[in-house]
Amino acid sequence: MKFFADTADVEAIRDLNDLGFLDGVTTNPSLIKKSGRDILEVTKEICDMVEGPVSAEVTATEAEQMIAEGRKLAKIADNIAVKVPLTLDGLKACKVLTGEGNMVNVTLCFSPNQALLAAKAGATFISPFIGRLDDISIDGMDLIAEIRQIYDNYGYETQILAASIRTVNHVKDCAMVGADVITAPPDVIKSLANHPLTDKGLAAFLADIEAGGIKIL
Ligand code: G3P
């Protein structure tokens, strides 16, 4: 399973990248706003830093404008995935932009039928939002499992990029049901390494290293 960082915070991306398990980045207008940076400038900086796909979202709502914006975003770097919303205009733009050889991430997916349409439009990634479904008492993980089954039934190659991930359990459940990618805030990704028994065990080992005078270098 691939790990993407859901952020436009360059320092947080650098930090995760240095750990060696960052496969890509996703941004959206809210994350760009939070960064306080110019979209083209910050996206270029992220693309230079990360080898994998970097999603950058269009601002338009009409297909022709989305296509024009998508072409401009795609020129930033070879690893840009143009992000379009899951509307009929977004799907139309997806078809055109993928036809021109670009990666496209179709975002704001909340139903299996929306995901089916994105696959038919040739999307590279579909982004179902887990947390926002959980917020309204609908199990977001059921959506991931249903999309997985539908894509496998027909051999669609669109990658399921589980988004709106809020907890480490979301990550584990995505891995269990076969999401291709998760995108999560950097803190969630880093906290996957945490376990109190690891801390407790390490403290005991360190005490014995000290008491036993154990040295390697
Ligand atoms: O990138 C979109 C998505 O991950 C947003 O997450 O927490 O705002 O629902 P959230």
Side-chain angles (χ1 to χ4, degrees):
M1 186 168 70
K2 293 177 206 159
F3 282 11
F4 289 3
D6 198 25
T7 183
D9 179 335
V10 172
E11 286 316 313
I13 293 167
R14 196 187 316 279
D15 178 43
L16 270 182
N17 211 22
D18 287 350
L19 287 172
F21 48 69
L22 189 61
D23 301 302
V25 170
T26 53
T27 67
N28 63 37
S30 306
L31 295 169
I32 295 290
K33 175 175 172 274
K34 193 173 167 194
S35 78
R37 304 270 311 271
D38 171 75
I39 181 171
L40 300 176
E41 187 192 286
V42 72
T43 304
K44 168 94 178 93
E45 199 174 328
I46 297 168
C47 286
D48 287 346
M49 201 186 303
V50 176
E51 271 186 36
V54 174
S55 291
E57 190 160 340
V58 299
T59 64
T61 54
E62 184 270 323
E64 287 311 313
Q65 283 292 330
M66 285 188 203
I67 293 165
E69 288 185 351
R71 286 175 180 148
K72 182 166 180 179
L73 290 170
K75 282 200 183 101
I76 295 174
D78 288 344
N79 54 340
I80 282 284
V82 178
K83 211 172 179 186
V84 298
L86 210 156
T87 59
L88 291 176
D89 279 275
L91 293 168
K92 193 172 167 185
C94 172
K95 182 103 187 156
V96 172
L97 290 165
T98 52
E100 293 175 356
N102 301 299
M103 290 187 282
V104 176
N105 176 357
V106 179
T107 190
L108 291 167
C109 171
F110 294 95
S111 81
N113 282 333
Q114 288 181 317
L116 182 54
L117 287 177
K120 287 182 72 63
T124 316
F125 302 104
I126 180 68
S127 290
F129 278 32
I130 296 171
R132 293 192 196 183
L133 282 170
D134 289 354
D135 288 345
I136 58 164
S137 303
I138 295 173
D139 189 347
M141 214 51 66
D142 288 347
L143 174 60
I144 305 295
E146 287 171 349
I147 298 172
R148 179 75 283 152
Q149 183 171 339
I150 289 167
Y151 282 8
D152 289 350
N153 284 348
Y154 296 97
Y156 286 122
E157 289 180 6
T158 299
Q159 295 178 53
I160 302 173
L161 196 175
S164 188
I165 291 214
R166 310 265 177 79
T167 67
V168 291
N169 280 339
H170 277 156
V171 178
K172 185 257 292 175
D173 291 340
C174 280
M176 295 292 289
V177 300
D180 298 291
V181 190
I182 56 99
T183 189
D187 286 352
V188 172
I189 295 179
K190 286 171 79 175
S191 63
L192 294 172
N194 295 347
H195 198 289
L197 290 180
T198 304
D199 297 340
K200 191 177 169 193
L202 183 58
F205 287 152
L206 289 173
D208 287 340
I209 287 167
E210 176 75 20
I214 302 169
K215 279 196 175 69
I216 295 172
L217 294 175

